[in-house]
Amino acid sequence: MIDILKGVNLYLIGMMGVGKTTVGKLIAEEIGYRFVDTDEVIVKAAGKSINEIFAENGEAEFRKLEGDVLAQVCAYTKLVVATGGGIVMQQQNWSYLHHGLIIWLDSPIQIILQRLAADDTRPLLQDADMESKLRSLLEQRQPMYSQADLHLIISATETPEDIATRILATIPSILKQQ
Ligand SMILES: Nc1ncnc2c1ncn2[C@@H]1O[C@H](COP(=O)(O)OP(=O)(O)OP(=O)(O)O)[C@@H](O)[C@H]1O
Ligand SMILES: O=C(O)C1=C[C@@H](O)[C@@H](O)[C@H](O)C1
Ligand SMILES: [Mg+2]
């Protein structure tokens, strides 16, 4: 795997809670790549949580930081990059994502709702009606996510290890198409 990838970065995109961070770490470990999470880099650089950045600086500032981090990250090779769920909405970010292989982790909203019901670390989901909020975000983002090189629909019973294995098994066929 490591040989056929030739150092090309893997970018995981998709909605909040779909498992980009969890699965990304497993893939990186498996193929000997380094793991980077754009959300984690932003939090470290800003010295505050994502909730605090949204509350104190606003979403627009968060999106600017996110774009800056992505621009820096794509200068490196041999990375698995877990991105924030909204990274796909800035057109400029696609010029960076297309430097690597883009993998869309997609799962039914009900699965995401179950996972994030008790999680208050995602400012965009601090809404009385989390389900409607998720649906409306997905509706806006779906056309962008669908520009990925690989679209993986995740079922409720698949473990992060299953998903990582499925991604790695599929990569050779996407590389051939390119
Ligand atoms: N396949 C899975 N099965 C069960 N739980 C999972 C699975 N993948 C992720 N989780 C759990 O769901 C939660 C969200 O996962 P994770 O943080 O990896 O999502 P994310 O896509 O990185 O979200 P964000 O865009 O907000 O960063 C975590 O608690 C994680 O342990
Ligand atoms: O889907 C989104 O817009 C977000 C997802 C998270 O990864 C964080 O980047 C932040 O909570 C925003
Ligand atoms: Mg994440």
Side-chain angles (χ1 to χ4, degrees):
M1 171 62 60
I2 195 79
D3 291 341
I4 61 165
L5 272 175
K6 299 197 174 81
V8 164
N9 292 344
L10 303 181
Y11 293 98
L12 300 184
I13 65 170
M15 288 294 281
M16 286 170 263
V18 79
K20 302 177 297 290
T21 300
T22 311
V23 172
K25 282 181 187 164
L26 294 175
I27 296 177
E29 204 174 306
E30 182 68 28
I31 64 175
Y33 268 30
R34 279 182 300 153
F35 174 74
V36 176
D37 187 306
T38 58
D39 285 336
E40 281 171 17
V41 176
I42 294 167
V43 166
K44 271 197 196 127
K48 43 189 172 184
S49 69
I50 293 180
N51 275 335
E52 285 166 339
I53 300 172
F54 269 66
E56 294 167 21
N57 311 89
E59 180 173 355
E61 177 61 18
F62 177 82
R63 296 299 172 202
K64 192 188 166 302
L65 294 171
E66 187 171 58
D68 291 347
V69 167
L70 184 65
Q72 286 167 22
V73 155
C74 83
Y76 296 87
T77 58
K78 293 191 182 172
L79 299 180
V80 176
V81 184
T83 61
I87 207 161
V88 296
M89 297 310 282
Q90 316 293 315
Q91 196 52 44
Q92 169 77 15
N93 290 341
W94 282 91
S95 62
Y96 303 121
L97 294 171
H98 280 306
H99 286 203
L101 276 183
I102 308 166
I103 299 161
W104 173 19
L105 299 190
D106 186 16
S107 74
I109 293 247
Q110 289 309 326
I111 298 179
I112 297 178
L113 275 174
Q114 277 168 17
R115 288 194 195 147
L116 299 185
D119 188 327
D120 62 2
T121 60
R122 278 122 178 132
L124 292 179
L125 295 186
Q126 309 304 305
D127 194 291
D129 188 351
M130 205 198 243
E131 179 167 356
S132 298
K133 182 72 196 206
L134 268 173
R135 281 194 197 290
S136 108
L137 284 173
L138 181 58
E139 201 178 316
Q140 292 162 38
R141 293 174 178 179
Q142 203 140 15
M144 312 307 290
Y145 289 144
S146 64
Q147 296 180 72
D149 301 304
L150 172 62
H151 178 192
L152 222 79
I153 299 172
I154 291 157
S155 71
T157 52
E158 262 183 307
T159 65
E161 288 78 10
D162 292 337
I163 299 161
T165 302
R166 195 145 69 92
I167 290 173
L168 291 175
T170 314
I171 281 177
S173 65
I174 336 169
L175 284 171
K176 261 186 234 146
Q177 287 162 20
Q178 292 196 336

